[in-house]
Amino acid sequence: MPVFRPKIIGYYCQYCAYLSDDNFGKVKIPSNVKKCKLLCSGKLDILNILETFESGIDGIFVVGCKEDECRNINGNSRASRRVNYIKKILEQIGISSERIAVYNIEPESLFSNVFLEASAEMGKKIRGLGPIYK
Amino acid sequence: MIIASQKSVREIADNLTKHKRISVAGCGTCVAVCFAGGERESEILASALRMFFKLKSRKVEIRQQTVKRQCEWEFIEELKENIDWADIVVSTACGIGVQAVQKKYLPKRVLPGLNTSFMGMPTSPGVWKERCLGCGDCVLDETGGICPIARCAKNLLNGPCGGSQNGKCEISKDIDCAWQEIYDRLKVLGLLDSMNEIALPKNWSTSRDGGPRRIVREDVNT
Ligand code: SF4
Ligand code: SF4
């Protein structure tokens, strides 16, 4: 049986990426993780995320700024609350809510490292869950 | 406006056991403004249902369409093509819209996608509160524009009751006492004297106690 390589999308806020020293500079993001830039994590759209899962993406994560440090005041907390709403819908239809997660950058952490850690952690979690549609 | 909340997708899906073509009908008026059943919310429901059936390996087609409103015949006319196509319809309108669509498109079945709750308004983003119970004999002129029927837990016409504490209702510390609000409002309006007037028993025959209600306007009637 071929090894399952989950299809993952990592959304990220352009501000935490640009404010960081190296953006994606030196780190190598696994090829099964597609990077997707948002103007702000608050741009995360519920319908868009659900349709993304519908299309067969196995896992999604969002990297946003530290709490209380959103350039647009509360875009990151909006993103978290939207993710909670999505989790609720996923559970209702029998999909694990673990398939979506939010990661926040700490002031002392490099954006690229957080994105990389999120990719690894989500990759592991989704491999455990298996493909979204069997 | 009419305020509603979404039913769980699971509850809706459990009623769609053998159907192959489902039409999700959104409503673009009250329930769109309270983010329960407008275009986006009915698209979200359609997407969630598609995933639900995909997980069960069931081949189900879903169409989504939103009309301006579902509580008037001429607007729901536009749903005809998608409803004729479908085996069953899920309407994300309020209970009025669901009943209208069901009647118009008999014998097709129409299921509710929402729980219709009350007449109210948003008081802050994401919070909706009840404001009117439709009693049919409005007393807002006597209460400074704050409804004691919808906003006082006991519908008191002569309040507050003994349970009013620090501006909160005795049923919950999260609920403002309507009669405290009325008192404060009458003060602002310079009408505090009217607190001394005893309101006589209300004629409830104009409310639900008189059975289902209707309004007839001869000048509009055909
Ligand atoms: S008094 Fe009756 S009609 Fe007036 S706002 Fe209250 S419930 Fe509605
Ligand atoms: S505490 Fe105020 S709102 Fe609550 S029942 Fe009494 S009068 Fe009505």
Side-chain angles (χ1 to χ4, degrees), chain A residues 45 47 54 85 92 133, chain B residues 6 40 43 47 50 54:
Chain A
D45 180 85
L47 177 60
E54 195 188 323
Y85 179 95
Q92 287 173 6
Y133 306 113
Chain B
Q6 293 160 322
R40 288 192 67 74
E43 279 180 23
S47 174
R50 273 194 293 269
K54 211 165 162 178

Side-chain angles (χ1 to χ4, degrees), chain B residues 105-121:
Chain B
Y105 291 103
L106 279 169
K108 196 128 305 169
R109 266 195 88 192
V110 180
L111 306 177
L114 304 182
N115 294 318
T116 304
S117 298
F118 52 81
M119 284 190 271
M121 62 176 290

Side-chain angles (χ1 to χ4, degrees), chain A residues 61-129:
Chain A
F61 66 85
V62 191
V63 178
C65 304
K66 186 178 177 269
E67 221 179 312
D68 304 328
E69 285 185 12
C70 173
R71 194 184 159 108
N72 298 309
I73 304 167
N74 56 6
N76 51 356
S77 79
R78 283 217 171 101
S80 301
R81 284 179 274 138
R82 286 184 197 147
V83 164
N84 286 341
Y85 179 95
I86 293 163
K87 280 176 178 286
K88 206 173 75 190
I89 295 203
L90 293 180
E91 289 290 343
Q92 287 173 6
I93 56 179
I95 293 176
S96 167
S97 58
E98 300 266 288
R99 289 189 184 272
I100 184 162
V102 179
Y103 292 83
N104 289 106
I105 304 277
E106 295 298 325
E108 63 282 0
S109 55
L110 275 181
F111 162 78
S112 52
N113 287 343
V114 176
F115 197 96
L116 187 67
E117 280 160 29
S119 305
E121 197 174 296
M122 283 303 279
K124 194 167 161 227
K125 215 188 284 177
I126 307 296
R127 268 193 302 279
L129 290 168

